[in-house]
Amino acid sequence: MDLCIIGSGYVGLVSGACFAEVGHHVVCVDNDQRKVDALQAGKIPIYEPGLEDLVHRNVAAKRLRFTNSIQDGVDSSQVVFIAVPTPPQVDGSVDLTYIERVAREIAGVLKPGEYRVVVDKSTVPVKTGEKVADTIRRYNKGAEFDVVSNPEFLREGCAVPDLMNPDRVVIGSASQKATDLMKQVYEPFRAPILVTDVNSAELIKHAANSFLSLKISYINAVAAICEASGADVEMVADGIGMDKRIGRNFLNAGLGYGGSCFPKDVKAFIAISKQLGTPFKLLEEVERINAAQLNRFIDKVRNALWVLKDKQIAVWGLTFKPDTDDVRNSVAIELVNKLVAEGAHVTAYDPKGAEKAVEWKLIDPTKVKLAPTPLDAVKDAEALILATEWKEFSNVDFAEVKQSMHTPLVFDGRNLFDPETMAQFGFTYHAVGRAGGK
Ligand code: NAD
């Protein structure tokens, strides 16, 4: 099939590459000329395992191309996906200006007699599909189209396998013609397809991300109780997670959830529920626990080091999770900035995220030193904080780390290390909600 994706970011680019991989012809559109130039020159603007090969292979096979022209994309495609940002506004509600603008732009290029399915893949509040359809109709009276909701559930860091083997594909549609075309798009993936009405599909995405955030806050609240009682949250999580009704995923105590999706989607769901007159107070508590988690962790560092001013602190990890270069809303970055604000001298290391953290002005490189390796970061450090659980941190030579540090003090914000092993190496080890690492 001929497909167009408007917005070539984490969702649009990976979706486009995966659609091309299964045999569709895909045009990825973006209004960021630098991004389009880079993609046309074979450079991949984001880090996502497996993406580079996928893009190069499909460009070479002439199934994938990039443009800045919506006209080009819409003219040459039966199905037009929207994958532009939906950031939060100050009050937590969703800023839909990107979506509205794209709807108007699509309206401007739709031709009479040329039916298109317009698919919203961005995460949007319930009832956005209706507004997109109204907008297209208002700006193009004769347009022949249907609007479908197809929320995306990929996880950054494993976006390619998630898209190639989704748990489910949700198609929210009021038109049989559009549903049939969408089923054709997804047929090669052989994934379970759930067809719903548009509103339900939109709601599924916010309800899913809010539920996952709730699981994280739940285990973090349990971690606090573990710390107060001497229990071990990892054992508790194993014990409850072995119950098939609960499951072990997303029961990892740590610094709390961050990233470009969970914080904004929980906020959005709170705002949506308020607007609909059915406030979802439980989610406000989820947010409160999440915000408290980082402060509780920094308290531990303060308890051990007393005054943070002028202390040399190494931080491993800047991205919001491993295997991505995405540093948007990263708790690791928030941690670094809080330490710096208290006058600590921070040296940070991240395998993929340091460049973007500086480029997007999320950290100030005159205040935070960036190290080229984990070992460089810990030189003369009075404490090491693990903020993102990149696999390479498990494989570091801890004898060398200990020798390099001024004081062998480790704060593990993601419960990555084994408390006994850390003790054997001679570290004073603090983890989250864990016996032997209080
Ligand atoms: P992103 O910022 O990485 O990418 C968005 C792209 O859209 C950018 O390249 C931007 O230049 C482009 N864009 C903006 N306005 C445009 C326009 N008018 N015309 C053409 N291009 C335009 O964002 P993302 O992370 O891919 O997220 C996109 C949507 O998908 C959001 O609603 C997000 O909540 C949702 N989502 C994200 C993830 C994730 O893990 N990142 C997962 C599921 C859903």
Side-chain angles (χ1 to χ4, degrees), residues 2-20 24-31 36 39 63-70 72-74 76-84 102 106 117 119-122 150 152 163 185-186:
D2 294 309
L3 310 178
C4 160
I5 319 251
I6 302 172
S8 307
Y10 283 90
V11 168
L13 180 59
V14 188
S15 305
C18 290
F19 284 143
H24 298 308
H25 288 97
V26 183
V27 191
C28 284
V29 181
D30 207 284
N31 66 353
V36 175
L39 285 164
R63 286 192 300 262
L64 180 62
R65 63 186 180 89
F66 306 98
T67 176
N68 62 3
S69 161
I70 284 196
D72 175 7
V74 174
S76 49
S77 311
Q78 298 157 277
V79 181
V80 178
F81 289 86
I82 304 174
V84 296
V102 170
I106 293 173
V117 184
V119 186
D120 194 358
K121 210 173 225 328
S122 293
N150 172 222
E152 182 48 61
L163 268 154
V185 171
Y186 280 105

Side-chain angles (χ1 to χ4, degrees), residues 6-12 29-32 35 70 83-86 98 101-102 105 121-123 152-154 156 205 260-261 264-265 328:
I6 302 172
S8 307
Y10 283 90
V11 168
V29 181
D30 207 284
N31 66 353
D32 178 344
K35 201 174 258 188
I70 284 196
V84 296
T86 48
Y98 294 86
R101 178 171 164 193
V102 170
E105 287 177 344
K121 210 173 225 328
S122 293
T123 301
E152 182 48 61
F153 301 100
L154 67 80
E156 285 179 25
K205 177 65 191 182
S260 69
C261 289
K264 97 170 159 66
D265 291 349
R328 291 176 289 181

Side-chain angles (χ1 to χ4, degrees), residues 157-176:
C158 42
V160 172
D162 278 357
L163 268 154
M164 296 304 288
N165 297 294
D167 287 349
R168 80 304 207 185
V169 170
V170 174
I171 298 171
S173 167
S175 139
Q176 194 55 50

